[in-house]
Amino acid sequence: MPELPEVEHVVRALSSLVTGRRIIAAELNLKRIAPGISRPAFNRQLQNALITGVGRRGKYILFQLESGHVLTTHLRMTGKFVSLTTDESLPPYAHVVFYLDDERRLVFCDMRQFGRMQIFKDPLRPPKELQTLAPEPLSDDFTEEYFLDTLSRSRRPLKHLLLDQTRVLGLGNIYAVEALFLAGISPVKAANTLSKPRARKLYQAIRDVLQEAIDAGSTLRIDLADGNGSYFERSERFWRVYECEGEPCVKCGMRIRRIVQGGRSTYFCRRCQR
Ligand SMILES: [Zn+2]
């Protein structure tokens, strides 16, 4: 599943490809991808729409249209966009096809069909799932004050809180585990028991792991021209603790442990993380 830094790279690739393009027609081939709208209405609302920009809120990709409408896409597990020329045949699982005015087609493929699209009309009144998201982690809205306050209000284990996108946005399983390691804080510690200096350290670690991941380029193969490639096959990447069970800690040499929290694996060093 792509995490926020990967979605950021998808957004950048899409932005340079489709900004300024007009959608000639939009074909919704699999209804469940856009459950709130009929197939004809989907086309009607997007037909002849000029794409003025592509952005992101959390892991929701936002296509801004000249009409003021916004088309959102969540990739979920296996969703991906592919850009095709007119003579290329459709890749497998091509559930939505956008015919663009430069004779290219932007195709949304999704093997597992969990990806979702939605159109909303008023950018000032986005759907609830977007409204409830916490501030963007790398923006000025995500302040140290906000983070400290959020921690003080929760008795949940830190790892759980960090994965709750309505509290702290942008950390999936990998980056939550890495941020806690970087800050030297135990994943099972209750959020409201963390001292202020240590909470500040964690705040910085969150921003650092996300920024580092964006700067390093994507860990996933994002090539919009490759119909067979996938966003969810990870390329080789060095993680500090993630998937390092039994390996020596890079700081102290003690073996990295794995536990399960909320059904997901947590990797940590018992000596370095307290
Ligand atoms: Zn260690």
Side-chain angles (χ1 to χ4, degrees):
M1 186 186 316
E3 293 210 29
L4 185 129
E6 285 97 37
V7 176
E8 174 66 27
H9 282 277
V10 174
V11 165
R12 290 178 188 183
L14 281 171
S15 182
S16 60
L17 190 78
V18 303
T19 300
R21 298 267 66 87
R22 202 174 277 283
I23 299 170
I24 303 297
E27 237 172 49
L28 176 61
N29 297 325
L30 184 70
K31 179 75 183 69
R32 61 156 33 153
I33 300 292
I37 190 164
S38 71
R39 287 195 180 99
F42 186 82
N43 180 46
R44 214 164 37 238
Q45 295 196 8
L46 297 175
Q47 198 167 27
N48 290 320
L50 182 72
I51 302 168
T52 55
V54 185
R56 177 184 66 69
R57 181 75 179 98
K59 293 204 285 180
Y60 290 86
I61 297 168
L62 309 176
F63 294 85
Q64 280 112 20
L65 307 176
E66 191 186 29
S67 60
H69 288 27
V70 179
L71 168 70
T72 73
T73 303
H74 200 298
L75 303 175
R76 299 281 182 82
M77 302 290 288
T78 56
K80 62 167 186 172
F81 284 101
V82 178
S83 166
L84 298 179
T85 58
T86 37
D87 50 352
E88 286 174 290
S89 53
L90 284 178
Y93 318 108
H95 302 317
V96 187
V97 183
F98 301 98
Y99 295 86
L100 304 177
D101 65 353
D102 60 354
E103 301 203 326
R104 297 190 72 91
R105 285 164 296 162
L106 181 67
V107 181
F108 182 72
C109 306
D110 192 348
M111 182 178 72
R112 297 189 57 184
Q113 309 179 357
F114 291 126
R116 289 293 176 266
M117 287 188 185
Q118 187 173 179
I119 299 168
F120 64 96
K121 293 173 187 173
D122 184 353
L124 298 175
R125 291 176 55 200
K128 204 179 83 206
E129 56 270 36
L130 274 134
Q131 279 181 30
T132 53
L133 292 176
E136 280 297 321
L138 297 173
S139 77
D140 294 342
D141 295 338
F142 182 62
T143 60
E144 210 174 73
E145 194 185 5
Y146 168 85
F147 184 66
L148 265 60
D149 183 57
T150 302
L151 293 188
S152 71
R153 288 166 191 273
S154 175
R155 273 176 284 187
R156 285 192 279 173
L158 277 165
K159 168 82 184 304
H160 288 231
L161 186 70
L162 294 187
L163 290 180
D164 180 347
Q165 304 296 301
T166 69
R167 298 288 179 267
V168 180
L169 184 66
L171 298 173
N173 204 38
I174 297 174
Y175 297 112
V177 162
E178 292 285 306
L180 285 163
F181 178 77
L182 205 59
I185 294 167
S186 164
V188 298
K189 192 170 175 58
N192 62 358
T193 64
L194 197 63
S195 71
K196 279 189 178 173
R198 300 189 75 210
R200 286 194 192 97
K201 218 172 161 185
L202 181 56
Y203 169 83
Q204 198 50 52
I206 289 168
R207 293 180 69 126
D208 288 349
V209 292
L210 291 175
Q211 191 62 57
E212 177 188 79
I214 289 172
D215 292 347
S218 179
T219 58
L220 303 179
R221 293 182 58 235
I222 294 166
D223 179 0
L224 297 183
D226 179 4
N228 299 313
S230 115
Y231 295 169
F232 50 95
E233 283 165 13
R234 281 179 193 283
S235 53
E236 285 300 307
R237 163 111 193 230
F238 170 78
W239 305 110
R240 294 176 180 92
V241 274
Y242 182 73
E243 288 186 342
C244 293
E245 184 180 13
E247 291 171 34
C249 167
V250 292
K251 288 184 197 167
C252 76
M254 189 164 167
R255 299 223 172 273
I256 297 298
R257 296 232 341 197
R258 183 178 79 94
I259 55 170
V260 176
Q261 289 181 287
R264 313 196 59 185
S265 291
T266 297
Y267 302 86
F268 72 111
C269 172
R270 275 164 74 196
R271 190 178 290 156
C272 296
Q273 294 176 255
R274 306 238 168 210

